[in-house]
Amino acid sequence: MRSVKFLVAAGAASLLSSAAFAADMPIMSPPPMMYAPPPVQDFGGWYLRGDIGMTNTQAKLHSNLYDTLPANTGFQQFGGFDGGMLFGVGVGYQFNNWFRADITGEYRSKVSFNGTDFFQFNPGGALGDTYHGGYQSWVGLVNAYADLGTWWCLTPFVGAGVGAATIKTSAFSDVATFPGGVGASSYIADGATKTNFAWALHAGVAYRVSNNFTVELAYRYLDMGTAGHGQGHFFDGSPAGPSTFQYRDMTSQDLKLGVRWNLPCCDVPPAPVPLIRKG
């Protein structure tokens, strides 16, 4: 019995000494939380853009006179527009590494139109016309693009856009020549301004020079609708009523060189990622 009491007393003494030792130990604070640096993003945020390029306009010259020609009239038409330049600016947002969108505005330089046509009336002879005109325009588009992946810093992309085209035509002249020395007549129409719905398709490749600077080479198909002219005048200046000459189905195949500047000041940095405590 004494041995049992002795063992119980020894155990109690041992527990008391352990508790006292633990109370004397300093309280240790947990190790500080460790954070991983935020991941580096290669997309996202606002950007500015600028473009310069060459335009190549196609259209059909039309007049109401063509609709009244007799069925047995032979008709041939030739001509087209000179090449021109475009200058554009815009602002956009890169949503992720494959989708971005922007709003662009551009000025398209004045280009000249030169054409001829030839009427063969059966019977009744022939008539030839020589035409001179031109136009300039301003185009605004909202565009969306799909980036198709990146290889060696090169990113091919496709896109589409919708917006408006304001077309300002210049004076249009029609000099009619009658074969056989019969004579000639002149007609002049004033220019006019018209705004149409416009749409575009894009394709190109972008090269990322740095995190904030990208260069792109792109092709664009642009549809600008129909443009007309104003008041008509005969060669002696007498009025001839509103002109019916139109450039119908105006399209342009453009080649553009563009640059994009990312705006890191406007991005929201990602939150740091906590790591597991050590210690």
Side-chain angles (χ1 to χ4, degrees), residues 69-77 117-122 125-127:
L69 294 175
N72 62 346
T73 300
F75 176 66
Q76 292 179 300
Q77 188 178 71
D117 59 30
F118 183 76
F119 300 89
Q120 181 65 53
F121 302 99
N122 294 312
L127 172 66

Side-chain angles (χ1 to χ4, degrees), residues 93-175:
Y93 192 84
Q94 182 92 39
F95 292 91
N96 52 43
N97 61 350
W98 64 269
F99 178 73
R100 57 188 168 88
D102 55 37
I103 299 174
T104 59
E106 69 184 52
Y107 167 73
R108 300 169 65 87
S109 69
K110 182 179 178 180
V111 295
S112 297
F113 175 85
N114 296 283
T116 59
D117 59 30
F118 183 76
F119 300 89
Q120 181 65 53
F121 302 99
N122 294 312
L127 172 66
D129 290 88
T130 301
Y131 302 112
H132 297 285
Y135 84 99
Q136 58 184 317
S137 62
W138 297 262
V139 176
L141 295 171
V142 178
N143 307 284
Y145 310 89
D147 294 325
L148 306 179
T150 300
W151 297 269
W152 303 286
C153 298
L154 296 174
T155 304
F157 64 87
V158 294
V162 294
T166 298
I167 304 171
K168 182 179 180 181
T169 56
S170 55
F172 183 86
S173 67
D174 171 11
V175 178

Side-chain angles (χ1 to χ4, degrees), residues 145 156-160 201-205 217-221 254-255:
Y145 310 89
F157 64 87
V158 294
L201 297 175
H202 310 269
V205 61
L217 181 65
Y219 162 84
R220 181 181 66 185
Y221 177 87
D254 304 329
L255 184 64

Side-chain angles (χ1 to χ4, degrees), residues 27-272:
I27 299 176
M28 301 295 293
S29 60
M33 183 72 75
M34 302 294 292
Y35 290 90
V40 177
Q41 290 184 314
D42 60 354
F43 58 84
W46 294 95
Y47 63 84
L48 300 176
R49 70 173 301 135
D51 297 277
I52 186 171
M54 297 182 294
T55 66
N56 181 20
T57 304
Q58 297 86 38
K60 300 175 183 177
L61 179 65
H62 186 270
S63 173
N64 289 350
L65 174 65
Y66 301 160
D67 299 328
T68 62
L69 294 175
N72 62 346
T73 300
F75 176 66
Q76 292 179 300
Q77 188 178 71
F78 309 92
F81 290 93
D82 297 336
M85 298 290 295
L86 66 86
F87 308 91
V89 294
V91 60
Y93 192 84
Q94 182 92 39
F95 292 91
N96 52 43
N97 61 350
W98 64 269
F99 178 73
R100 57 188 168 88
D102 55 37
I103 299 174
T104 59
E106 69 184 52
Y107 167 73
R108 300 169 65 87
S109 69
K110 182 179 178 180
V111 295
S112 297
F113 175 85
N114 296 283
T116 59
D117 59 30
F118 183 76
F119 300 89
Q120 181 65 53
F121 302 99
N122 294 312
L127 172 66
D129 290 88
T130 301
Y131 302 112
H132 297 285
Y135 84 99
Q136 58 184 317
S137 62
W138 297 262
V139 176
L141 295 171
V142 178
N143 307 284
Y145 310 89
D147 294 325
L148 306 179
T150 300
W151 297 269
W152 303 286
C153 298
L154 296 174
T155 304
F157 64 87
V158 294
V162 294
T166 298
I167 304 171
K168 182 179 180 181
T169 56
S170 55
F172 183 86
S173 67
D174 171 11
V175 178
T177 303
F178 301 92
V182 175
S185 66
S186 298
Y187 171 86
I188 298 176
D190 298 333
T193 301
K194 184 182 179 184
T195 298
N196 301 320
F197 172 78
W199 60 270
L201 297 175
H202 310 269
V205 61
Y207 177 74
R208 187 168 185 173
V209 180
S210 67
N211 287 339
N212 295 324
F213 185 70
T214 301
V215 178
E216 64 179 45
L217 181 65
Y219 162 84
R220 181 181 66 185
Y221 177 87
L222 177 64
D223 189 303
M224 297 179 287
T226 296
H229 296 84
Q231 183 71 27
H233 309 272
F234 291 116
F235 69 97
D236 60 356
S238 59
S243 173
T244 64
F245 279 105
Q246 295 179 326
Y247 302 125
R248 287 190 172 179
D249 303 323
M250 296 182 69
T251 63
S252 183
Q253 301 190 55
D254 304 329
L255 184 64
K256 303 194 303 173
L257 179 65
V259 293
R260 303 200 306 263
W261 295 274
N262 292 344
L263 299 176
C265 64
C266 302
D267 297 339
V268 178

